[in-house]
Amino acid sequence: MSLLRLFGLFRPEHFADWYRIGAEYVLTVSEGMGFGVGDFPLRAEEATAALRAGRTEVPPEIARSIAADLLADATFSAPYLEWMPLWYELALVGPVSYAELRLRRVARRYTRDLAHVSVPRFSRPQDVLVGGRPAVSYVSGFARRFVLADAVLHLEWYAHVARESGIRVPSGFVERAREETVAYYTGHGELSDDVRHFQRLLFADDEWVRDIDDAYDLDSALFGLWERLLTRERERL
């Protein structure tokens, strides 16, 4: 099979496992960092159950968590592609655009009654400068660009989804972690112990990739490549 199987996802129940896997990732990182998760584990179970049953009439805090996860995934991949070599971007821009459409469409069913919805804006290469140059200009090779992009963007993804889900993520720490991350992956600094630990937890998105691949029976060579790169970096950290 391939990513084509994902094109058949369009109803809330199709995204129950998608949300569940994202929520498990958020919980893993949050608990690993000692951030206060409150009743998020229970709300994540309720959100998953609602999606599985196709229910869209849910309490605002449940709707916000579902929308945050799906909208973050919808808007994540297009910026990510800009960090990568042109051949890679051109190969995936079509599937990524279609996936974004599907995710946004389902997310909208959970935002109708919310007074305000935050849609994350993920960094593009021109937004992340080191010495006046894009950070990506300091790395070469597919693997290094992939890891740099993920180190920056999965931090932004986590901070957004966790906060929208009611988890207390310290703003000052996130800002420092982003600065250290950019410096480290461009050869301009080192990671402090707490930021290294944070990134090690964030690189558990190798498990997200593997679990999505398994849950949707993709058997995707592309997902397999992503998982290997992410696992290697997590183990190195």
Side-chain angles (χ1 to χ4, degrees):
M1 295 302 296
S2 72
L3 296 182
L4 293 176
R5 181 180 285 273
L6 295 177
F7 291 177
L9 309 182
F10 57 91
R11 296 198 300 268
E13 53 264 40
H14 294 155
F15 289 93
D17 284 323
W18 193 289
Y19 170 83
R20 173 184 59 80
I21 293 166
E24 289 172 353
Y25 174 72
V26 168
L27 189 60
T28 294
V29 176
S30 300
E31 290 184 332
M33 291 301 299
F35 298 152
V37 300
D39 61 353
F40 174 69
L42 178 60
R43 285 188 282 109
E45 290 182 7
E46 294 176 359
T48 301
L51 282 159
R52 209 174 296 284
R55 287 189 288 108
T56 57
E57 299 298 326
V58 296
E61 64 273 16
I62 301 296
R64 189 171 299 282
S65 182
I66 292 172
D69 186 287
L70 299 185
L71 288 173
D73 283 342
T75 55
F76 181 88
S77 294
Y80 202 116
L81 289 181
E82 295 187 23
W83 289 77
M84 303 306 296
L86 182 59
W87 61 265
Y88 184 87
E89 181 178 1
L90 292 176
L92 291 181
V93 65
V96 160
S97 298
Y98 190 77
E100 178 176 349
L101 176 65
R102 292 295 196 187
L103 286 160
R104 283 183 178 274
R105 185 170 295 174
V106 173
R108 278 200 296 270
R109 300 185 65 174
Y110 290 91
T111 61
R112 289 176 302 191
D113 297 326
L114 297 179
H116 176 265
V117 178
S118 297
V119 180
R121 179 186 181 277
F122 293 105
S123 295
R124 286 171 156 80
Q126 63 268 24
D127 301 323
V128 185
L129 304 179
V130 177
R133 294 167 51 194
V136 73
S137 68
Y138 291 92
V139 300
S140 60
F142 177 85
R144 291 187 64 193
R145 290 175 71 138
F146 184 92
V147 168
L148 168 62
D150 196 63
V152 174
L153 299 185
H154 67 195
L155 190 159
E156 296 176 351
W157 185 99
Y158 165 78
H160 174 80
V161 177
R163 287 167 175 164
E164 288 293 295
S165 297
I167 295 173
R168 293 188 290 274
V169 183
S171 296
F173 173 72
V174 169
E175 292 169 3
R176 176 166 64 84
R178 188 178 183 276
E179 291 175 2
E180 289 188 19
T181 293
V182 172
Y184 176 71
Y185 282 101
T186 58
H188 290 80
E190 294 295 329
L191 297 177
S192 55
D193 289 345
D194 55 350
V195 173
R196 180 177 292 275
H197 180 59
F198 188 37
Q199 279 292 356
R200 188 184 302 118
L201 291 166
L202 290 169
F203 271 103
D205 50 3
D206 64 341
E207 296 179 7
W208 184 95
V209 170
R210 182 175 63 252
D211 290 348
I212 290 289
D213 190 69
D214 290 343
Y216 291 95
D217 194 25
L218 301 178
D219 193 22
S220 167
L222 183 60
F223 271 47
L225 172 62
W226 293 347
E227 182 186 350
R228 288 192 298 275
L229 292 173
L230 297 170
T231 298
R232 186 170 66 189
E233 184 60 16
R234 176 172 54 81
E235 292 175 346
R236 189 186 69 81
L237 288 169

